Structure formats: C-alpha cells, structure tokens
Amino acid sequence: MEENFDLVARTRANYYTPGSPVQFVCVELLKGDVSGEHAVCLTFKNISKVTLTALEIHFKCKGVDGVILCEDQFEYRDLEVKPGELFGQDDAVFVTAKAITSVDVSLCNVYNGKRVVHLDAIKRVRLPAPRRLPPELQKALEARMNRSELKYQPQVFENGWYCACGAFHPKEEDTVYCSECGCDRILLQNALNTLLQPEAPAKAEPAPAKPLHAAAAGEEPTRVVNSFRPAASIGEEPTRIVPAAHTAPEPQPQAAEEHTRVLDAETRARFPGKAVHTEPDEGTRVMPAPARRAVPEPPQPVEEDEEDYEDERDGVAEALIRWVPPITAIICAAVALCGFVYYQFLL
C-alpha cells in the first residue's frame, strides 16, 4: 500500500568533515499519514569538482529517553551527483514507530567511479550556532533579496561561511553562491549592512541643521567631524574675544594711549623748537612718553663699583692660585716625613 509522508521536523547538521568531498547537510523526520511511523531521511551535498557515484555512512538514532533506537551502516549506490547538488533526501535510512530526538551521522567512504576516499579517520569539526535575526530585520531582508526563510545573520569563519537561510558552506566548496536559497554572499552582506545603517542615527540625538554649503558638498547625514569646521570657510573664527568698548578699529585712541614714539630726523626738522630735547649726534631715538618730561638721570656709577668688586675678587683668586699649591706640597711632605721618622725610630 502506498503511503504519503509529511515533514515533521528538519534540523541542520551542527558539524562538518574537513577535506571531505561530500558534506552532511541536514536530517529530516517524516511521518506517514496512514501508519503514523517516523522515517529518517538524511541530506548530503557534493562540494567537490567531480561526480560522485556512491557514499557509505554510519548513523545512530536516539529516542526521547536517550536510548539508542538504531545504529547501523547505510549505502547510497548508483548515484550520479554533480558538483554542488544535494542527494539522499528521498531515501529513508530508518523507519520506527517511536519518537526520535537526535541523529548522529559519520561519513565512511565516498566513491567517484572506481576511486574511493576513506573518511573514517577524519575528525569532525563542530560548527558555531548561527545567529537569529530579529523578526523586523528578517522581513526587511527577505523583501530586499526577494527570497523567503532568511532567518539568520550571514557570517564568515575561517573554515567557511553561513548563509542567511542557515546553510553552511565549507571553504572546500569555494563558492559565494548558496546552493540552497541561491543568495550571493557579498550581495547578501551588503543588503544587511544597508538595513542596519539607519539604526545608528535613530538612537543618537538629532543633529543640528547644517549650512547650505555643507549640504551642497555632499556630506553624509552622520559623520565624524575632523579639525576642519564649516564656519572657517566663511571667515568666522571658532572662538573670538572682543573687548566691549571696541566695536570697530580705532587707530586714534591707540595713538593717544601710545607710550613709545619714534622721532626721525625729518620729524625733528619740522619742529625745530623741540630739537633741544634730542642729542645732536642721534639720527633716530625711541623715547617713552613720560621720559620726555623727566629730568635726565645722572650717570650711574654701578658699573664702576661692579668692576672694582670684580677686580678685588680677581686678586683674591690670583693669590689662592699662587700660594695654595706650594703650601699643600709642604704640608704633604711634612706628613710623610713625620710618618717616616715614627716608623724608623719609635717602633
């Protein structure tokens, strides 16, 4: 009697076999609509560059209480699987009436015509769990890529990459296209980055309105401003201290408050009555304003006193240099002579 099986559960493999030309993809649990029995179907993928003709595996099925329900070998024969194709999903490896909670699959041998590759000694590598996308972002990504079931965040690892559909593509596959959903990895990542970009300014405070010249320059809505400021381009200083009394340049008050004047020969020729205040042999003289009304200061004998003081110090230094060496030599000779006499005559 013919019986139809409906899909009950589907779980992707959480490990892969490095260097193998075939990879275990997922396990499906089917249930018959008449008998109610559970059928276990395994899906594999050819990631090599050649056509595969046969595959031998070892599987182990466990029940709800962790008891092994079945552990056996299974062979897929008379295959003609092209590179990148899936196979095995139409063959049930085990049928039981009991509930199944887990299935463990190990690859044994894979064939390409008469050539065989032994996979028993290869250690399987556990995969990190894919990251689930928020429901809103999932819907937006599916609408942008025009595909369904894009539930996960695309990720790139050292040993392969995850697609948004949850499929893992090992580095041995060497492709940027997902064989299950058809997405391009680069376009998928760019679409996700575009959807995530508006979230950053939404959390930040609203930025102040930008000047028209900044908008015309093609600036981004949110960016890090460097040392260049737009205000400098229109001639405004970033910070300027302006005295309260000065609203415009005032050259005349500066001339009135001037404390230093420069009088050249031509100026003194225009005012002959004030020529007596300058020395007859000076061409240009810089004189403070209060000094022009003060009495000329008498000559200061400070320099002579300093010279005399320096001369006295020079005399003392010269005497020390002359007499210290001979006096030191005489004292040293006397000490040596006393020591000699003490050791020769007294001991």
Side-chain angles (χ1 to χ4, degrees), residues 224-241:
V224 179
V225 182
N226 53 16
S227 57
F228 173 80
R229 298 186 180 182
S233 61
I234 57 176
E236 296 181 359
E237 298 178 357
T239 303
R240 185 177 183 183
I241 302 175

Side-chain angles (χ1 to χ4, degrees), residues 10-17 21-28 41-47 55 57 76 84-89 103 105 107 127 162 165-170 173 178-181:
R10 185 174 188 267
T11 305
R12 292 189 175 274
N14 58 354
Y15 54 87
Y16 87 107
T17 306
V22 61
Q23 294 293 337
F24 173 44
V25 176
C26 67
V27 55
E28 294 177 336
C41 294
L42 307 177
T43 303
F44 301 89
K45 182 180 181 182
N46 180 10
I47 62 171
L55 174 66
I57 65 166
Y76 295 90
E85 291 183 352
L86 302 175
F87 66 96
Q89 62 271 22
V103 179
V105 179
L107 304 179
L127 297 173
Y162 266 123
C165 66
F168 179 77
H169 301 272
E173 191 173 0
C178 179
S179 56
E180 298 188 32
C181 68

Side-chain angles (χ1 to χ4, degrees), residues 10 27 44 62 131 163 192 200 207-208 211 214 221 227 243 256 296 303 310:
R10 185 174 188 267
V27 55
F44 301 89
K62 292 183 180 181
R131 300 177 182 177
C163 181
L192 184 61
S227 57
E303 298 182 357
E310 292 178 356

Side-chain angles (χ1 to χ4, degrees), residues 156-210:
V156 179
F157 302 98
E158 182 181 359
N159 50 15
W161 60 280
Y162 266 123
C163 181
C165 66
F168 179 77
H169 301 272
K171 62 180 181 181
E172 290 84 1
E173 191 173 0
D174 192 21
T175 181
V176 296
Y177 296 98
C178 179
S179 56
E180 298 188 32
C181 68
C183 288
D184 183 292
R185 177 174 61 87
I186 300 176
L187 297 179
L188 184 64
Q189 188 65 51
N190 292 340
L192 184 61
N193 293 339
T194 304
L195 295 174
L196 292 175
Q197 187 176 2
E199 294 185 0
K203 298 180 181 178
E205 297 181 2
K210 294 186 177 182

Side-chain angles (χ1 to χ4, degrees), residues 115-173:
R115 181 183 177 185
V116 57
V117 180
H118 301 286
L119 307 174
D120 306 78
I122 299 179
K123 185 178 180 180
R124 297 179 303 181
V125 177
R126 182 167 292 275
L127 297 173
R131 300 177 182 177
R132 192 69 181 261
L133 291 174
E136 299 80 5
L137 188 59
Q138 175 186 340
K139 294 179 181 180
L141 184 61
E142 291 175 351
R144 180 174 288 270
M145 298 299 297
N146 195 21
R147 285 176 174 82
S148 60
E149 298 299 322
L150 301 182
K151 304 177 182 180
Y152 304 96
Q153 178 180 351
Q155 294 176 270
V156 179
F157 302 98
E158 182 181 359
N159 50 15
W161 60 280
Y162 266 123
C163 181
C165 66
F168 179 77
H169 301 272
K171 62 180 181 181
E172 290 84 1
E173 191 173 0

